[in-house]
Amino acid sequence: MSAAPTIEWTEEFARAVSRLIDASVDEYYNPYRTFQWPESIEPKDLWMSRELLSVHGTAAERQLSPEQLVELSRWESINLYSLIAHGIRELLIEVMRRIHTPGYEIPTPYFHHFIGEENEHMWFFAEFCLRYAGRIYPDRRMVFPAGERSPQMNNFIVFSQILVFEQIGDYFNAKMAADEDLPDTVRDVNRIHHRDESRHIAFGGKLVSALFDEVRRTHSAEEIEEVGHYLRGYIDLIIQMLCSRDAYEDAGIPEPARFRAAVLADPGRAPITARITERTTNFYRRIGLFH
């Protein structure tokens, strides 16, 4: 079990936790009754906004017919929701390790709401995949070990990874919730997730900031620079996972591994990646980790 933080939680942090708990209670809904699952989703409709497709802005996009782009949108949607479901499972494990442990007395009351809401998110994203694709993609994340680090640094890294994952996923959720060209069911799952994630991201930002203040008091500049490189690598890993060999194969694209490598190498992706990660990089610049 990771050691508890040694920081003193501020009154501002405690008030923020109280406000987020109130919001979670006031906005509570039963997801098992909220969604109206149609028998099928019209196959001619995009399931992901075109500007969010992994091929957008690349030479590969110009090689695909409109029909292929629609099919790719279906499977990239399934890839995204599979990533979210797998990511939620892992973040729940980390939060459960810390709930009701010494040092986490102030955030623990909100952890209960966080755990309940994330469990429900995992259910409805998995339900979408199983209903409309018949499966959830396997978890293909590469091992990305944190190495030997202090308890304070490990806590900072764990909650940073949760925050990074949520912020990048929320970029997609917010865009698709607002895209009137997408089917209602697609918009609904993204809209509801985006609403809940706004609270989780607000909490995560305050928690990570507090943990980073402790890291700066207890670690050298070299150690802090190294963990900055580590988190930049983690951000890159999440972006790479959005380019799925499984999705390319299911979309009927020949030589999906070669196609994926070409997409990842295409310089046309750079401005799109910058937009997806902008909130995250700005946050870490603001707290003083990224320069």
Side-chain angles (χ1 to χ4, degrees):
M1 179 181 295
S2 298
T6 58
I7 66 174
E8 293 290 333
W9 303 105
T10 65
E11 286 297 321
E12 179 187 0
F13 182 86
R15 287 194 298 270
V17 168
S18 180
R19 289 194 300 270
L20 289 166
I21 290 171
D22 290 343
S24 289
V25 172
D26 292 342
E27 297 179 19
Y28 180 75
Y29 60 95
N30 184 340
Y32 306 102
R33 298 185 181 276
T34 295
F35 294 100
Q36 301 298 317
W37 302 106
E39 286 299 315
S40 62
I41 298 176
E42 179 59 54
K44 67 178 179 60
D45 291 337
L46 287 167
W47 288 19
M48 179 180 281
S49 303
R50 179 159 178 168
E51 66 270 22
L52 298 179
L53 295 177
S54 64
V55 298
H56 186 63
T58 70
E61 182 181 32
R62 297 187 289 275
Q63 298 169 11
L64 301 178
S65 68
E67 294 76 18
Q68 286 176 309
L69 286 171
V70 168
E71 187 67 8
L72 179 61
S73 78
R74 175 187 179 188
W75 294 106
E76 290 210 332
S77 181
I78 296 302
N79 179 59
L80 175 65
Y81 305 154
S82 298
L83 289 176
I84 291 173
H86 292 308
I88 289 172
R89 182 187 63 242
E90 298 306 313
L91 69 85
L92 285 175
I93 291 170
E94 294 297 344
V95 174
M96 289 292 287
R97 286 186 175 131
R98 291 163 172 81
I99 192 169
H100 290 298
T101 61
Y104 285 99
E105 291 84 359
I106 299 300
T108 278
Y110 186 68
F111 283 163
H112 282 285
H113 295 275
F114 179 92
I115 290 166
E117 291 166 359
E118 289 293 358
N119 179 59
E120 291 168 349
H121 298 163
M122 180 166 52
W123 172 78
F124 65 68
F125 280 119
E127 186 72 7
F128 184 101
C129 293
L130 294 172
R131 279 179 179 266
Y132 303 120
R135 63 194 178 103
I136 301 171
Y137 280 155
D139 187 355
R140 299 197 186 282
R141 285 174 298 173
M142 297 179 293
V143 175
F144 203 60
E148 293 297 324
R149 302 184 190 276
S150 69
Q152 295 94 338
M153 189 68 86
N154 278 333
N155 286 318
F156 171 69
I157 288 173
V158 162
F159 284 104
S160 285
Q161 289 175 328
I162 292 173
L163 182 62
V164 167
F165 181 80
E166 289 186 321
Q167 287 179 328
I168 291 175
D170 188 59
Y171 179 88
F172 284 77
N173 297 149
K175 293 285 187 183
M176 288 196 281
D179 188 344
E180 296 182 356
D181 292 331
L182 298 181
D184 289 343
T185 304
V186 172
R187 294 185 67 195
D188 286 346
V189 296
N190 283 280
R191 175 180 53 80
I192 290 174
H193 194 236
H194 171 59
R195 185 185 68 184
D196 291 347
E197 288 299 274
S198 65
R199 295 192 299 274
H200 296 184
I201 290 169
F203 172 74
K206 293 184 180 299
L207 181 61
V208 167
S209 294
L211 293 172
F212 186 58
D213 286 343
E214 176 64 12
V215 164
R216 281 195 292 197
R217 288 195 293 270
T218 56
H219 292 73
S220 68
E222 291 76 15
E223 289 171 315
I224 291 171
E225 183 178 1
E226 193 277 331
V227 84
H229 287 302
Y230 173 85
L231 286 177
R232 285 187 182 276
Y234 183 75
I235 293 168
D236 290 342
L237 175 62
I238 298 299
I239 294 298
Q240 290 176 31
M241 289 163 60
L242 295 168
C243 298
S244 166
R245 183 191 182 283
D246 292 322
Y248 298 146
E249 183 174 13
D250 284 336
I253 295 172
E255 300 185 89
R258 186 188 297 268
F259 186 88
R260 179 179 186 271
V263 170
L264 286 171
D266 195 306
R269 281 184 51 81
I272 299 162
T273 297
R275 288 197 293 273
I276 294 171
T277 60
E278 181 179 20
R279 176 165 54 168
T280 300
T281 54
N282 284 345
F283 170 80
Y284 283 102
R285 288 191 185 111
R286 189 164 61 250
I287 68 172
L289 181 63
F290 292 173
H291 302 290

